[in-house]
Amino acid sequence: MSEPNKTESKGSGAASRAAAATALFQVLEKGESLSTALPNATAKLSASDKRLASAISYGVLRVLPTLNKLVGAKLQQPLKGKLKILHYLLLVGAYQLYCQRIKDHAAVSATVEAAAFLKKRNNKALVNGVLRQLLREAPEANDNFERQLPEDNNQNHPRWLVQQLENDHGNKTEVILRENNQHPPMWLRVNERQFSRDDYLRQLQAEGIEAVADPQARNAIRLLTPCSVDKLPGFHEGAVSVQDRSAQLAADYLNVDACHRVLDCCAAPGGKLLHLLERHAFDYPVQAVELDANRIERIKENLTRQQLFAEAHCADAADTSAWWDGKPFDRILLDAPCSATGVIRRHPDIKWLRRQSDISELAELQGKILRALWETLAPGGELLYATCSILRDENQTQVEAFLKQHSDATLIPIEANRDMLQILPGEADGDGFFYARLKKAQ
């Protein structure tokens, strides 16, 4: 569970620990996503401090219950009110002592000093005392200053999710839980308008970046060691983008030609949209619909970077009167809003932000959008239903219910022997994803 290749950099110190504690507080007390909380908390930090704060924040969320037990056992009473932030600072300290390649004295001293950044200077003794006690009772560290964490019965997942996975996936659950707690690989999507995949692999090799091609997703490359996008040849010119290999399969399964009128629904941040535009010079502008105005801007930024064009609409996909011009689509990609339980290894905050009650609400929303979009699909047209969920209620059950309700819908097998495709986390080194393709009668 250690952060790979993480060492205490010369510029890293108390500020990075304080930022990590602040981000964790915002996620776990305020319900903010880590992708929002972390940039806000680290805005004034150096690049090296940002990396350390990120590594700590993601790491704590991966093993949160275990760390909570370790820290809670050393406190006479829970920290509440204005002192609550110190609980998250103690989690930061505990994570460093157990899981990071940081010397004990550096981890403790920097975390204690971080109390001052959090305006809790008078509580330094508390932080120091708890961390010193943890150290005294912790198992011996290995040569990388890492320790074996105590085991958690639910493998550091909420109980409801473990039970749901057991219901849906049976004996595969243990593997799913283990994969969810791993550090994800970095996948690239090569823009075939600019380079073949083999050509780009040679460019990476020339830069000393080791990578391998995916045997199924034709534009996908996996880096053996993640790196900054600034080191990737041609990244800022749109030659390559970061996108998981499972998500890249959408461009294959949509079965699209340049002559088709295409809709990408719930399109942000635009990876699948861009992939389609990289592959095809469409006769008609591709339409993209996204509800979140901020995420629409992400789509536009990505289109600009790659000098590609699509018509983006900020609208509720289910309210077709707000954005549809009445001309039927030949192909629709519905990347439905979902629990995102297939991408927990990239976003460990999902484990703690998602609630069991969310699943039925999401399934209802998915069905509403699917039914609305079906009316915009041309006779003989195809709709690809996709989620980054691994829960049946959002995937197989959703599609089966739709087929029962719509006599003009048939299921086109995704592969020769698979009507629908559920990719589990870690399969082919990819994220968890689901695909089903529906055809409308002529």
Side-chain angles (χ1 to χ4, degrees):
M1 280 308 305
S2 65
E3 286 286 339
N5 301 319
K6 295 292 179 185
T7 57
E8 179 73 348
S9 64
K10 190 175 180 179
S12 299
S16 56
R17 276 75 171 185
T22 300
L24 291 167
F25 178 90
Q26 290 299 116
V27 170
L28 297 167
E29 297 293 327
K30 305 297 183 181
E32 193 173 336
S33 71
L34 185 59
S35 60
T36 300
L38 192 58
N40 291 337
T42 61
K44 297 181 180 180
L45 299 186
S46 67
S48 61
D49 278 3
K50 285 181 179 179
R51 287 192 295 271
L52 182 57
S54 177
I56 293 172
S57 300
Y58 277 85
V60 168
L61 290 170
R62 286 194 175 98
V63 292
L64 180 64
T66 296
L67 296 179
N68 270 330
K69 290 175 185 176
L70 285 170
V71 168
K74 301 295 175 278
L75 294 169
Q76 292 183 352
Q77 58 186 8
L79 297 169
K80 299 179 180 179
K82 293 182 179 180
L83 294 181
K84 186 69 175 183
I85 188 67
L86 291 176
H87 178 82
Y88 295 101
L89 184 60
L90 290 170
L91 297 182
V92 165
Y95 180 74
Q96 293 169 79
L97 293 176
Y98 272 84
C99 302
Q100 284 196 303
R101 298 172 185 176
I102 297 174
K103 292 181 179 180
D104 293 341
H105 67 83
V108 172
S109 62
T111 304
V112 170
E113 289 302 314
F117 284 82
L118 298 172
K119 299 181 180 179
K120 296 289 182 281
R121 185 181 298 275
N122 293 338
N123 300 106
K124 281 185 176 183
L126 168 66
V127 177
N128 185 64
V130 170
L131 295 183
R132 294 291 179 187
Q133 192 175 352
L134 279 175
L135 258 181
R136 284 195 297 271
E137 299 178 12
E140 193 71 25
N142 63 20
D143 291 341
N144 288 324
F145 312 108
E146 301 161 329
R147 294 177 168 84
Q148 183 67 43
L149 276 169
E151 289 189 7
D152 181 81
N153 290 337
N154 293 315
Q155 291 200 35
N156 288 293
H157 283 67
R159 185 180 299 276
W160 74 265
L161 181 55
V162 175
Q163 292 174 341
Q164 189 65 59
L165 292 174
E166 289 174 343
N167 291 339
D168 289 353
H169 300 289
N171 59 13
K172 296 180 181 178
T173 300
E174 289 294 317
V175 175
I176 294 171
L177 298 176
R178 187 167 60 250
E179 288 293 335
N180 282 351
N181 288 332
Q182 302 305 308
H183 302 284
M186 184 172 179
W187 284 95
L188 306 179
R189 185 188 74 244
V190 179
N191 182 354
E192 62 183 55
R193 286 193 179 212
Q194 296 191 27
F195 298 102
S196 72
R197 184 169 65 176
D198 286 346
D199 285 342
Y200 196 77
L201 279 167
R202 283 190 283 272
Q203 290 194 44
L204 290 175
Q205 186 178 21
E207 295 294 327
I209 300 173
E210 293 184 290
V212 293
D214 184 78
Q216 183 181 12
R218 81 182 201 210
N219 302 119
I221 290 174
R222 178 173 58 85
L223 300 187
L224 299 190
T225 302
C227 71
S228 167
V229 294
D230 294 328
K231 295 181 179 179
L232 299 174
F235 175 82
H236 296 290
E237 292 72 44
V240 69
S241 300
V242 177
Q243 185 183 34
D244 186 81
R245 58 87 57 196
S246 298
Q248 292 187 44
L249 294 173
D252 293 325
Y253 295 144
L254 188 59
N255 187 32
V256 68
D257 288 325
C259 64
H260 290 143
R261 190 164 191 261
V262 178
L263 168 67
D264 182 358
C265 204
C266 309
K272 300 177 188 68
L273 170 65
L274 288 160
H275 197 185
L276 293 172
L277 294 171
E278 290 166 2
R279 285 192 175 183
H280 305 281
F282 289 101
D283 296 341
Y284 309 96
V286 175
Q287 306 295 303
V289 176
E290 170 58 44
L291 180 61
D292 190 316
N294 292 327
R295 286 165 67 80
I296 278 280
E297 291 305 312
R298 287 279 307 279
I299 293 175
K300 292 178 178 177
E301 289 169 4
N302 286 325
L303 286 167
T304 299
R305 179 176 70 88
Q306 297 191 218
Q307 298 181 12
L308 296 169
F309 176 76
E311 292 185 2
H313 307 274
C314 185
D316 179 354
D319 182 12
T320 56
S321 63
W323 55 268
W324 185 40
D325 61 8
K327 298 177 183 178
F329 296 100
D330 302 299
R331 297 290 186 271
I332 296 176
L333 170 58
L334 171 53
D335 193 2
C338 70
S339 62
T341 44
V343 294
I344 285 174
R345 61 183 187 167
R346 296 192 186 279
H347 304 283
D349 50 325
I350 289 169
K351 291 192 288 187
W352 317 116
L353 295 179
R354 197 70 66 233
R355 298 289 180 265
Q356 187 171 14
S357 59
D358 295 340
I359 307 307
S360 59
E361 294 175 5
L362 284 164
E364 183 178 349
L365 175 60
Q366 292 157 359
K368 181 181 179 182
I369 296 173
L370 182 54
R371 292 188 295 271
L373 294 185
W374 193 249
E375 300 305 312
T376 73
L377 185 64
E382 297 178 11
L383 181 149
L384 182 66
Y385 179 82
T387 76
C388 57
S389 169
I390 55 173
L391 303 183
R392 286 190 64 89
D393 286 349
E394 300 179 274
N395 297 337
Q396 294 93 335
T397 302
Q398 182 72 256
V399 173
E400 290 165 357
F402 182 82
L403 289 168
K404 288 180 180 179
Q405 297 163 1
H406 293 79
S407 59
D408 60 345
T410 56
L411 192 64
I412 306 173
I414 284 288
E415 296 173 355
N417 59 346
R418 303 174 93 165
D419 287 343
M420 296 179 265
L421 177 62
Q422 177 68 78
I423 306 170
L424 297 178
E427 286 186 13
D429 285 327
D431 291 341
F433 236 85
F434 175 82
Y435 289 107
R437 192 162 69 217
L438 301 167
K439 186 177 180 68
K440 195 171 191 178
Q442 292 281 7

